[in-house]
Amino acid sequence: DIAMLLTADGDFVPAVKELRRQGKENACLYFPGLKDRKGPRIARRLTKEMNYVVDLSIDDLAAFMGVELIAE
């Protein structure tokens, strides 16, 4: 079993630790932030607890959901 979290918030660390205690793998999917910011916008303490960390773009999410984005 793999628990998948769509977050970059370090407040989820206790939940992730509990999942690991139960022997579950985990994956964190997050959006890295705006292009004008430096570096990814994810809590380091969260990445240290995760088995997998995947940064997503809005295009990745749309493709996963099978939808087409409409430009504004």
Side-chain angles (χ1 to χ4, degrees):
D1 294 335
I2 298 178
M4 299 183 76
L5 296 154
L6 182 58
T7 186
D9 192 333
D11 290 345
F12 285 92
V13 168
V16 172
K17 285 184 176 182
E18 177 59 22
L19 289 168
R20 292 182 69 183
R21 188 189 68 75
Q22 295 178 18
K24 308 290 184 192
E25 286 191 291
N26 55 70
C28 177
L29 296 88
Y30 76 102
F31 296 99
L34 301 174
K35 290 182 180 180
D36 61 342
R37 293 187 183 169
K38 295 180 181 177
R41 307 299 295 170
I42 185 171
R44 286 188 183 174
R45 63 190 177 117
L46 181 62
T47 61
K48 289 179 181 180
E49 298 296 331
M50 303 305 293
N51 295 110
Y52 309 99
V53 178
V54 180
D55 61 334
L56 299 172
S57 71
I58 193 69
D59 294 327
D60 293 331
L61 182 60
F64 175 76
M65 295 177 64
V67 298
E68 185 177 335
L69 296 175
I70 300 171
E72 293 185 20

